[in-house]
Amino acid sequence: MDPARRASQVASALAEVRARLDRACDDAGRDRADVQLLPVTKFFPASDAAILYGLGCREFGESREQEATAKVAELADLLASAGTGEGADAVRWHMIGSLQRNKARAVARWAHAIHSVDSVRLVDALSRAASAALAEGERPEPLRVLLQVSLDGDPARGGVRGHELTELAARTEDADGLELAGLMAVPPLGADPERAFEALAGVHRDLLREHPRATALSAGMTGDLEAAVRYGSTCVRVGTALLGSRPITSY
């Protein structure tokens, strides 16, 4: 697609999503500043992230380490070439997909936050990786960790709940190089988003009693962001409504 046409397309989509989020916050009686819009750029090129950057976005979500590592570097090059304002130093990347422990070191070099932590072994791997990255000057601050909550108990979909979540939160809180930021969840396939997010809000309230600084709640995507906002989401992860549904699989 012609770059100018693509930029216009993305700008229009972003305006529509921002308007949706404004309405959702108004309807829920919430301050719009309390809910982050996280554009999800997975499967799309760094040029799309650069367009979003030009429209004021500074944080992006990715789900595959190899793709993200390449895209982080490419966006930095694009912004440097364009001489764009703050450049790549102003960008924060979020890992929102499942992560294997052997990828922890790579992710710790570029991720501001990871939204999908669901095992003690992954916490330990991320702690080692983030601590090393801090010591080597590869990152300026601890890695923010959001624990993935299972809303249906299906291990194939990832996430934990109950005593496992309690233990994982305590382990993360004590881990070097990490900051326990909050929770993330995705409603089960076919589930009523209202009921799913209501349940998640209850889990989050329980967490906050023991970990009052873990205020982040990453919930809601293109199809259900309004319901997520009603039940306290502080971060909606939106990809399709911004960039379309056609994946680019060149990575």
Side-chain angles (χ1 to χ4, degrees):
M1 181 183 294
D2 174 73
R5 182 180 176 189
R6 179 58 170 167
S8 176
Q9 180 185 71
V10 173
S12 177
L14 179 60
E16 291 180 9
V17 172
R18 283 173 168 165
R20 277 182 66 189
L21 190 51
D22 288 346
R23 289 192 298 270
C25 290
D26 286 344
D27 291 345
R30 298 184 59 193
D31 187 336
R32 172 65 179 83
D34 292 337
V35 185
Q36 176 190 12
L37 171 61
L38 180 66
V40 176
T41 51
K42 65 179 183 179
F43 301 132
F44 289 90
S47 57
D48 280 351
I51 292 170
L52 289 165
Y53 180 99
L55 296 167
C57 298
R58 294 295 182 269
E59 305 198 30
F60 305 100
E62 288 287 326
S63 65
R64 299 189 302 178
E65 179 276 320
Q66 184 177 4
E67 176 185 350
T69 296
K71 194 175 299 180
V72 168
E74 187 175 353
L75 179 62
D77 289 344
L78 288 173
L79 296 180
S81 297
T84 307
E86 305 155 298
D89 288 344
V91 176
R92 289 177 167 177
W93 294 91
H94 296 241
M95 179 66 177
I96 63 173
S98 61
L99 180 67
Q100 297 177 329
R101 296 192 308 281
N102 63 359
K103 302 291 187 179
R105 187 70 180 95
V107 169
R109 292 188 176 100
W110 56 259
H112 168 68
I114 176 167
H115 293 223
S116 52
V117 175
D118 63 358
S119 76
V120 167
R121 290 189 296 176
L122 181 54
V123 166
D124 292 345
L126 288 169
S127 176
R128 291 191 296 271
S131 295
L134 284 165
E136 295 166 14
E138 294 178 315
R139 60 179 304 112
E141 58 192 8
L143 175 62
R144 287 172 57 83
V145 168
L146 286 80
L147 307 180
Q148 184 174 350
V149 176
S150 172
L151 296 174
D152 60 2
D154 182 354
R157 287 172 45 79
V160 294
R161 59 181 182 174
H163 74 276
E164 290 181 315
L165 179 61
T166 301
E167 293 173 359
L168 192 59
R171 185 66 161 256
T172 305
E173 184 81 77
D174 292 339
D176 292 336
L178 305 182
E179 175 188 349
L180 176 60
L183 301 178
M184 182 277 277
V186 179
L189 294 174
D192 177 1
E194 294 276 343
R195 295 184 64 182
F197 293 135
E198 183 179 19
L200 177 61
V203 175
H204 194 213
R205 285 193 298 271
D206 291 342
L207 178 77
L208 287 170
R209 280 195 283 270
E210 295 296 325
H211 306 279
R213 294 183 297 175
T215 56
L217 187 62
S218 176
M221 297 182 287
T222 291
D224 54 20
L225 70 84
E226 287 84 2
V229 169
R230 276 194 292 278
Y231 287 101
S233 174
T234 64
C235 175
V236 294
R237 311 177 304 273
V238 179
T240 301
L242 290 176
L243 299 177
S245 58
R246 181 176 65 88
I248 295 175
T249 56
S250 59
Y251 289 92

